[in-house]
Amino acid sequence: PHEKGEGQGAFRHHRRDSSGLASEACQSSFIEPMRWMRLLPRWNRGEPTGAVLCPRCSTRLGDYSWHGSQCNCGRWVAPAFQLRHAKVDLDRAQG
């Protein structure tokens, strides 16, 4: 997980309102690269950005970018291996 960003204010060129209020909860998780990701076609060609695909069914789970990516909360994460919550089952540890 990453620290929550400053919300809409971090997207000044996309600003829809002037409130600058923090957005809702993050809609993605940023993870460390996993061994199976090396099998991605674009990764093997050395491309700096691409889709993270399920190794079994090839459904798009998210994206990767060695340059980084911005979460919907406004936080910049680099490098970024981003999985969309809508595409994966989350199992949050109780603690």
Side-chain angles (χ1 to χ4, degrees):
H2 57 276
E3 293 181 25
K4 192 168 179 106
E6 58 187 68
Q8 192 70 26
F11 299 91
R12 298 207 191 288
H13 62 286
H14 290 272
R15 185 178 289 187
R16 296 184 190 130
D17 61 30
S18 59
S19 68
L21 297 174
S23 64
E24 59 189 57
C26 298
Q27 297 172 1
S28 299
S29 289
F30 290 87
I31 62 170
E32 295 294 319
M34 302 174 87
R35 188 173 306 144
W36 61 265
M37 290 179 181
R38 294 184 202 143
L39 302 174
L40 298 170
R42 293 184 78 169
W43 185 305
N44 284 329
R45 291 193 301 261
E47 296 183 30
T49 61
V52 174
L53 306 175
C54 173
R56 292 189 181 182
C57 67
S58 296
T59 297
R60 186 178 188 148
L61 303 175
D63 301 283
Y64 74 88
S65 173
W66 288 103
H67 306 295
S69 183
Q70 195 168 27
C71 183
N72 68 293
C73 74
R75 176 65 60 190
W76 185 263
V77 180
F81 299 89
Q82 183 177 20
L83 299 180
R84 294 186 189 105
H85 291 173
K87 297 290 185 176
V88 295
D89 292 331
L90 298 178
D91 184 15
R92 300 196 186 253
Q94 299 293 322

